[in-house]
């Protein structure tokens, strides 16, 4: 039975059906647009006016125009269905468009989307069954129908997309050997558009999706930055503005989590000498569950938006538009991605290190990945609880946070920040690991205080769990709680400081060269420094009382995110680009990107802090012109545009360089790290000859210091 | 010896740039602005804080002076740390960059335990010092002061109302309103409640902030020290109207404050006023203890548009609704628009902007006034309509 379903799913007929449905959707949208445009009164009058020249009476138009339009729409729809189904069956292979449609229709994205829509309808219909049964009107957009539909839809994406096929086959007792390489009959590149278990493929899928989501979140930001360039409302309404900044927050967080996934997935197994992650199928699941969750957030914007910000504080979350449900559900489902990939990383680093690689001989990035995974694994559940409680309070009329029914709004903040504060360390620890990883290579000097840096990551992870209530210094919680949280908050500065001092000591007397990755590493240090030093002023309560919920916080937070994630992520992409593609990137464009983004970011950051001190509140669509801050706001908007353009330059660079730039060779940077000793791009199982670790990772400048060497072949007994 | 030179160079750079940065920060955050700009800077810390460039808006409460001193210390630390790390980094970049033709590795230095212990322990001491400083200052902020005046603050979507329970004996009418009146140098204790969602009380010049939480009372203490007009801004996202959830705060002399209290408390009772005058008063002052926002917050009487349509010439006006139908603003239409705001939305305006529960607030307000004044049949909407009839548009 199980096998029969899988066999059918892999048949031409099934492909034709899915491609047909995709075609139907696109055709349906076109047909709907056509009908909407051509059936407006103005358009009908225009047709009447024109047909008057051909002596066709207006009454005839009244009769025939709708018929003609409907026929045209039906034809468009039918053509799309046929072309979709036909390309799914493998026709039209000799045209570029036909091939594109064939592969697009066969990709997991298309299958998953079809599954998402079908399961969404199923969930919504199930709820409506009960609604009609209990005498309520049939309504697919009812809140409960939306919630169950959205929940089902993520499961539908995973099932129809084929992410869980192997697990279903296990239930049926079938053998499921791990499939390596492209799906049958498909070219090698198609792996990146299908469910694949190789950690490098998954890492790149994470990376691509992260950049895509980053662009979406960036567009939101540009929209509301343009709105803020003058007081008063320009082109957005207050509710649209609120939805945009809320979506910007959560979309960027999804992007960062995907980017972290990209770095950890691609790098951690190679760096420790493993052939793959410990649980390859779970790894694929982690990636694929994130994608439909992101779509739920976008759907939330479409069904009315929400104006709570990404924090979703009650009671506002209980009163705002229904979009908040889909946002919270999307956030919740993407938590599965975090937890599953954290388990994978922890197990992989614990059990799959190469021979001789003790913990203190791991590349420093692996320490960061481990610390990040420990946080993700232990904290994500709590935000899940906060979100579930809100979703249930709205959809099922339970009471947790609504004071009118005896709930406690401050409780939500505690549960929420218990995850969401450590989460910022999830975002930045891998980035800080990248900085520590790259500095020794470009200074040709050992990493100063390797052990202290490694342990400071764990220190940050630990202290990060004890500071959540500093987000709530003005929330009305007891003063007896405010003081201890002030002390722990100040203590986070210590392990962070250790990292800064160690980086500077690594740079001191280093023989530096300034290729793009190094520039971004130095840029990351400078920007993260702005984020770091603007923190203690928020940590001491008397000064926080002025700055809390002001733009100072916005500036501080964006500096930590850019310095702790965006800049190191860019550095990592430039640095490992030759390893991933086998080609160098364009150095000139990389430098241009850097010299646009660093000053852009500095202006944006200091600008935000400056208007915050003067009285600009967070999350407002309009500000008082009497504050005299419009000039600064214009500067911030320009800086945001510059940053946006520089990111586009980077994407262009990556898109063309793999075809136009020279072959990179194994080790263009002269690194000692294991992945650079293997060919570029890496083979399927990373190391054709396993290696063993015989020295320390960062012994640059020491003659004859060896880190890894080929492991002796096992004796044949 | 060359090594020592490097340390001397970089040390000098750090010291000089710390001072320069501190001045730059001062410039960056000192923009001409606001009512405090003419404030007299009579105390030393006030003058110091402005000389060091911190902080605009100028302080206008007793608490803000001490807080600004703390800001000043913080900005010195920020300047120092920025100079320290950036100075060392940029110095390394320029002094140690790879020389032309050199392809050897850098010296093999992998750590220094004494240094590492130092840069762990010293920051611990510094941050604990700041933590302790913050603790002491926080204690001062939350300690009750003698002769505090209690003011009850209510926040709702999207406005504020202020009630002065200690002035209840000043006259027949309660002392309350949509504007916060404060007597200069009179310490106040705010007892704050929200009726719907979270809000936050922030007057930047006073430097203190506190959330208002529905279902519980939160407190805030401060002492205004400078006469002037300030703006209270809601600092916690509370929905569509968040950006415009403002209230005026007026700090006046004790004599002027007392005058205002007497004037408010001895206002003529509603029952002896004409309907038009009652309507105008409700329009301006709102709906008593219900806390429902006054009409004046969103509807002008001079033809300008605030959040809703102007009331100038509104009675029996005709126009178009957002569903395309036309309306005549007769008694029935106006009554329904107040009680069911989303039923009829005039073209160009949005649903859900208007306060949604006047249907509950108005009967409660009527009952309250009838209870206070006795033997009086109060019809709020009829009075409002009577007021509207006086607002004829002049050509």
């Amino acid at each position: 039975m199980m096998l029969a379903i899988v066999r059918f799913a892999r048949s031409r007929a099934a492909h034709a059906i899915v491609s047909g449905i995709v075609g139907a959707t696109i055709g349906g949208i076109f047909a709907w647009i056509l009908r909407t445009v051509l059936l407006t009164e103005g358009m009908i009058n225009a047709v009447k006016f024109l047909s008057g020249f051909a002596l066709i009476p207006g009454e005839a138009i009244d009769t025939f125009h709708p018929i003609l339009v409907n026929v045209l729409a039906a034809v468009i729809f039918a053509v799309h269905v046929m072309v979709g189904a036909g390309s799914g069956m493998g026709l039209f292979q000799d045209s570029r468009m036909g091939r594109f449609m064939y592969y697009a229709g066969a990709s997991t994205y298309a299958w998953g989307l079809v599954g998402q829509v079908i399961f969404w309808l199923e969930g919504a219909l199930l709820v409506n069954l009960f609604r009609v049964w209990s005498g309520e009107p049939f309504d697919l957009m009812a809140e409960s129908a939306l919630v169950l539909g959205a929940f089902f839809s993520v499961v539908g994406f995973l099932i129809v997309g084929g992410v869980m096929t192997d697990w279903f086959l296990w239930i049926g007792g079938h053998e499921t050997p791990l499939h390596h390489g492209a799906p049958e009959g498909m070219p090698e590149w198609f792996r990146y558009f299908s469910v694949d278990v190789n950690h490098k493929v998954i890492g790149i899928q994470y990376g691509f999706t992260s950049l895509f989501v980053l662009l979406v979140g960036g567009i939101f930001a540009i929209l509301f930055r343009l709105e803020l360039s003058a007081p008063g409302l320009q082109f957005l309404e207050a509710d649209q503005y609120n939805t945009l900044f809320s979506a910007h927050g959560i979309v960027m967080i999804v992007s960062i989590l995907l980017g972290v996934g990209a770095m950890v997935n691609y790098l951690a197994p190679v760096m420790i000498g493993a052939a793959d992650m410990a649980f390859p199928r779970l790894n694929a699941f982690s990636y694929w569950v994130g994608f439909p969750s992101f779509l739920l957030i976008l759907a939330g914007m479409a069904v009315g938006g929400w104006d709570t910000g990404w924090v979703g504080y009650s009671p506002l979350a209980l009163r705002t538009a229904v979009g908040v449900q889909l946002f919270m559900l999307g956030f919740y489902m993407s938590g599965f991605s975090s937890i599953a990939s954290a388990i994978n990383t922890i197990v992989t680093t614990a059990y799959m290190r190469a021979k001789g690689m003790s913990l203190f001989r791991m590349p420093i990035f692996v320490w960061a990945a481990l610390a990040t995974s420990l946080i993700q694994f232990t904290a994500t559940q709590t935000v899940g609880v906060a979100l579930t409680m809100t979703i249930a309070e709205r959809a099922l009329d339970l009471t947790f946070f609504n004071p009118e029914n005896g709930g406690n709004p401050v409780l939500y903040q505690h549960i929420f920040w218990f995850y969401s504060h450590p989460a910022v360390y999830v975002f930045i620890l891998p980035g800080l690991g990248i900085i520590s990883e790259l500095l020794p290579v470009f200074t040709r000097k050992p990493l100063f205080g390797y052990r202290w840096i490694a342990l400071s990551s764990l220190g940050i992870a630990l202290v990060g769990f004890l500071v959540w209530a500093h987000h709530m210094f003005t929330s009305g919680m007891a003063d007896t709680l405010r003081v201890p949280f002030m002390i722990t908050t100040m203590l986070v500065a210590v392990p962070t400081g250790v990292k800064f001092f160690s980086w500077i000591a690594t740079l001191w007397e280093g023989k530096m060269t300034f290729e793009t990755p190094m520039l971004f590493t130095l840029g990351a240090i400078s920007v993260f420094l702005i984020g770091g030093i603007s923190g203690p002023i928020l940590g001491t309560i008397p000064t926080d009382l002025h700055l809390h919920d002001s733009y100072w916080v916005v500036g501080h937070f964006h500096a930590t995110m850019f310095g702790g994630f965006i800049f190191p992520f860019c550095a990592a992409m430039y640095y490992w680009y030759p390893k991933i593609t086998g080609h160098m990137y364009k150095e000139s464009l990389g430098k241009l990107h850097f010299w646009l983004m660093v000053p852009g970011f500095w202006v944006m950051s200091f600008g935000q802090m400056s208007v915050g001190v003067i009285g600009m509140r967070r999350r407002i669509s309009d500000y008082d012109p009497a504050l005299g801050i419009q000039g600064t706001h214009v500067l911030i908007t320009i800086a945001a545009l510059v940053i946006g353009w520089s990111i586009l330059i980077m994407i262009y660079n990556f898109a063309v360089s793999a075809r136009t730039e020279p072959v990179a060779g194994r080790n263009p940077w002269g690194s000692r790290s294991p992945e650079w000793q293997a060919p570029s791009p890496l083979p399927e199982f990373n190391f054709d000859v396993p290696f063993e670790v015989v020295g320390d990772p960062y012994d640059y400048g020491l003659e004859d210091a060896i880190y890894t060497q080929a492991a002796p072949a096992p004796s044949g007994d | 010896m060359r090594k020592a030179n490097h340390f001397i160079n970089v040390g000098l750079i750090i010291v000089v740039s710390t001072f320069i940065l501190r001045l730059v920060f001062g410039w960056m955050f000192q923009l001409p602005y606001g009512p405090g700009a003419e404030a007299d800077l009579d105390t030393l810390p006030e003058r110091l804080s402005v000389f060091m460039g911190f902080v605009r808006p100028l302080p206008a409460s007793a608490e803000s002076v001490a807080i600004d001193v703390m800001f000043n210390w913080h900005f010195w630390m920020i300047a120092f740390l920025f100079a320290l790390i950036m100075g060392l980094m940029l110095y390394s970049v320029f002094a140690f960059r790879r020389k032309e033709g050199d392809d050897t590795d850098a010296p093999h230095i992998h750590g220094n335990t004494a240094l590492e212990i130092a840069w762990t322990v010293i920051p611990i001491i510094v941050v604990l010092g700041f933590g302790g400083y913050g603790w002491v200052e926080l204690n001062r902020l939350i300690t009750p002061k003698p002769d505090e005046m209690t003011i009850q603050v209510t926040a709702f979507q999207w406005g504020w109302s202020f009630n002065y329970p200690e002035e209840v004996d000043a006259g027949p009418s309660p002392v309350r309103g949509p504007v916060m009146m404060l007597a200069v140098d009179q310490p106040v204790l705010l007892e704050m409640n929200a009726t719907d969602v979270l809000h936050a009380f922030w007057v930047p010049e006073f430097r203190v902030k506190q959330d208002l939480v529905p279902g519980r009372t939160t407190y805030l203490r401060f002492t205004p020290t400078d006469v002037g007009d300030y703006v209270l801004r809601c600092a916690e996202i509370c929905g569509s109207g968040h950006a415009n959830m403002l209230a005026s705060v007026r700090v006046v002399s004790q004599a002027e404050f007392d005058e205002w209290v007497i004037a408010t408390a001895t206002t003529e009772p509603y029952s002896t006023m004409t309907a038009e005058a009652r309507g105008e008063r409700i329009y301006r002052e709102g709906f008593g203890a219900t806390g429902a926002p006054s009409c004046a917050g969103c509807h002008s009487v001079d033809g300008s548009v605030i959040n809703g349509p102007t009331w100038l010439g509104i009675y029996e006006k005709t126009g178009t609704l957002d569903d395309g139908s036309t309306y005549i603003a007769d008694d029935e239409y106006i009554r329904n628009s107040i009680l069911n705001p989303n039923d009829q939305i005039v073209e160009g305006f949005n649903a859900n902007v208007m306060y949604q529960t006047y249907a509950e607030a108005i009967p409660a307000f009527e009952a309250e006034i009838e209870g206070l004044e006795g033997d009086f049949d109060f019809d709020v909407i009829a009075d409002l309509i009577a007021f509207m009839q006086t607002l004829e548009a002049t050509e």
Side-chain angles (χ1 to χ4, degrees), chain A residues 251-403:
Chain A
V251 162
M252 284 307 196
I253 284 166
V254 170
S255 163
I256 291 176
L257 284 173
L258 291 166
V260 167
M263 295 193 283
V264 171
N265 261 290
Y266 195 91
L267 297 175
V270 199
M271 285 181 161
I272 61 170
D276 204 329
M277 284 289 217
F279 309 113
R281 293 181 187 85
L282 188 66
N283 203 13
F285 173 86
S286 306
Y287 167 70
W288 286 105
V289 76
F291 193 73
S293 311
F294 165 65
L295 296 181
L296 285 194
I297 295 168
L298 294 189
M301 297 177 73
V303 298
W306 70 98
D307 51 14
T308 61
W310 81 279
V311 294
Y313 278 3
S314 279
L316 185 58
L318 305 174
R319 292 166 169 251
T320 186
V322 68
V324 73
Q325 287 280 30
L326 301 188
F327 142 63
M328 289 198 162
L329 208 57
F331 192 174
Y332 178 82
M333 297 306 285
S334 65
F336 284 102
S337 170
S338 285
I339 297 171
S341 84
I343 293 173
N344 227 332
T345 312
I346 294 169
V347 175
T348 309
T349 36
Y351 289 106
M352 296 174 69
R353 298 194 303 275
K355 187 170 172 238
M357 186 176 278
S358 61
L359 284 177
F360 283 113
R361 282 181 167 176
M362 296 193 301
I364 198 74
F365 175 77
V366 183
W367 273 100
L370 188 62
T372 273
S373 302
L374 286 170
I375 302 173
Q376 282 184 303
F377 176 48
T378 45
T380 312
Q381 293 81 351
T382 1
V383 77
V385 169
L387 299 170
T388 323
M389 286 162 96
T390 311
I391 294 169
E393 180 151 5
R394 280 185 68 120
L396 305 175
D397 280 339
L398 301 178
T399 290
F400 300 109
F401 308 127
N402 187 355

Side-chain angles (χ1 to χ4, degrees), chain B residues 131-245:
Chain B
Y133 183 13
W135 188 352
V136 171
E137 288 298 328
L138 178 65
N139 261 342
R140 251 187 249 175
L141 291 176
I142 60 178
T143 308
K145 298 176 198 76
D147 25 283
E148 281 174 342
M149 182 177 67
T150 303
I151 303 176
Q152 290 168 342
V153 180
T154 309
F156 45 85
Q157 284 174 325
W158 291 276
W160 303 85
S161 76
F162 308 94
N163 187 28
Y164 296 74
E166 289 176 12
E167 310 294 352
V168 71
D169 300 327
S173 295
V175 179
R176 66 182 165 220
V179 172
M180 187 175 207
M181 295 292 286
L182 298 170
V184 68
D185 294 327
Q186 163 68 56
V188 291
L189 164 65
L190 306 187
E191 283 183 9
M192 308 200 288
N193 283 288
T195 59
D196 34 41
V197 302
L198 300 173
H199 302 278
F201 180 100
W202 187 29
V203 179
E205 288 85 350
F206 298 161
R207 299 285 191 278
V208 286
K209 185 182 287 124
Q210 175 62 53
D211 285 7
L212 293 86
V213 184
R216 67 167 72 179
T217 305
T218 55
Y219 302 92
L220 190 63
R221 296 188 154 83
F222 61 89
T223 311
T225 52
D226 288 289
V227 171
D229 289 346
Y230 305 89
V231 182
L232 161 60
R233 301 183 159 90
C234 174
E236 182 71 61
I237 176 76
C238 57
S240 317
H242 172 55
N244 296 317
M245 182 168 160

